[in-house]
Amino acid sequence: REGAGSFPPPAGCGLPCGPAMDLFGDLRRMNKRQLYYQVLNFAMIVSSALMIWKGLIVVTGSESPIVVVLSGSMEPAFHRGDLLFLTNFHDDPIRAGEIVVFKVEGRDIPIVHRVIKIHEKENGNIKFLTKGDNNEVDDRGLYKEGQNWLEKKDVVGRARGFLPYVGMVTIIMNDYPKFKYALLAVMGAYVLLKRES
């Protein structure tokens, strides 16, 4: 069906061709100056997002100040898709009962679990053991071979707050990479083709 002011897609093209043809038509109608301007706008948005992320890293002391819970191992405290806000100030002692995000050698994805046991040495060094609230056993099976305790250097951050289910978009994009690329393409096209009022 045609809408007001629109043209039907070319014969034999099928429905998806209509929006694609409009996109390329808009790009062709832009002069070089407009196109450069929109590309610079897009670059500015990307660099601003990176600057905000780097700023959060400095303020929170965590290399990943915002993470998404990817599994149900911490239910009922956190559910899959919850967005966690982290801090990682080295002066703060790690306590039993707090929720930490840690990295284990050989695993790319950080793990969000609770500290269940602390082992403090005489020299002040602390080692600790973690476990998912929804798991029956502790995390020793997740640590690298021969490792029985975590140390402060393994901690990416400690959970200070969360937003429920906001991270589901991230999970969907990880589970369906084509959706991620389509979404990025649409966002990029929108920024490039958006004209100043």
Side-chain angles (χ1 to χ4, degrees):
R1 239 181 248 175
E2 295 175 42
S6 66
F7 297 97
C13 185
L15 265 172
C17 257
M21 293 298 284
D22 288 346
L23 175 67
F24 291 120
D26 282 349
L27 280 172
R28 276 198 296 270
R29 282 192 291 275
M30 272 188 184
N31 63 38
K32 283 185 180 178
R33 187 174 175 172
Q34 284 176 315
L35 185 62
Y36 292 150
Y37 178 77
Q38 297 299 5
V39 168
L40 284 173
N41 255 354
F42 184 67
M44 207 165 74
I45 289 168
V46 171
S47 60
S48 296
L50 287 172
M51 283 170 51
I52 290 168
W53 184 255
K54 291 291 185 186
L56 282 173
I57 289 172
V58 170
V59 169
T60 62
S62 172
E63 63 186 66
S64 293
I66 300 171
V67 295
V68 176
V69 178
L70 298 176
S71 75
S73 65
M74 277 303 294
E75 291 180 2
F78 298 124
H79 295 84
R80 192 169 189 255
D82 287 355
L83 198 70
L84 301 186
F85 301 100
L86 311 178
T87 62
N88 194 24
F89 303 119
H90 290 285
D91 296 339
D92 290 350
I94 291 172
R95 303 280 185 214
E98 76 175 319
I99 295 166
V100 296
V101 178
F102 60 92
K103 270 189 176 176
V104 175
E105 194 178 310
R107 290 178 180 265
D108 295 332
I109 299 171
I111 299 167
V112 181
H113 280 175
R114 191 181 301 276
V115 176
I116 58 166
K117 202 179 282 184
I118 299 278
H119 178 65
E120 192 165 358
K121 293 184 175 179
E122 290 177 11
N123 63 5
N125 285 348
I126 290 176
K127 294 189 174 187
F128 58 94
L129 181 65
T130 55
K131 176 184 171 294
D133 289 359
N134 202 22
N135 292 348
E136 292 184 7
V137 295
D138 62 45
D139 290 343
R140 284 191 171 118
L142 298 175
Y143 304 160
K144 73 175 181 180
E145 195 175 339
Q147 182 179 9
N148 291 321
W149 301 87
L150 291 176
E151 297 178 31
K152 241 180 172 179
K153 65 178 176 58
D154 301 312
V155 175
V156 173
R158 304 146 191 228
R160 300 300 185 199
F162 77 103
L163 285 174
Y165 303 112
V166 175
M168 284 307 291
V169 176
T170 303
I171 291 174
I172 291 167
M173 288 197 293
N174 281 340
D175 290 349
Y176 305 100
K178 287 181 182 175
F179 174 76
K180 173 170 67 176
Y181 297 129
L183 187 65
L184 289 172
V186 167
M187 287 169 61
Y190 174 75
V191 172
L192 286 173
L193 297 174
K194 190 182 72 156
R195 290 186 170 80
E196 294 292 313
S197 305

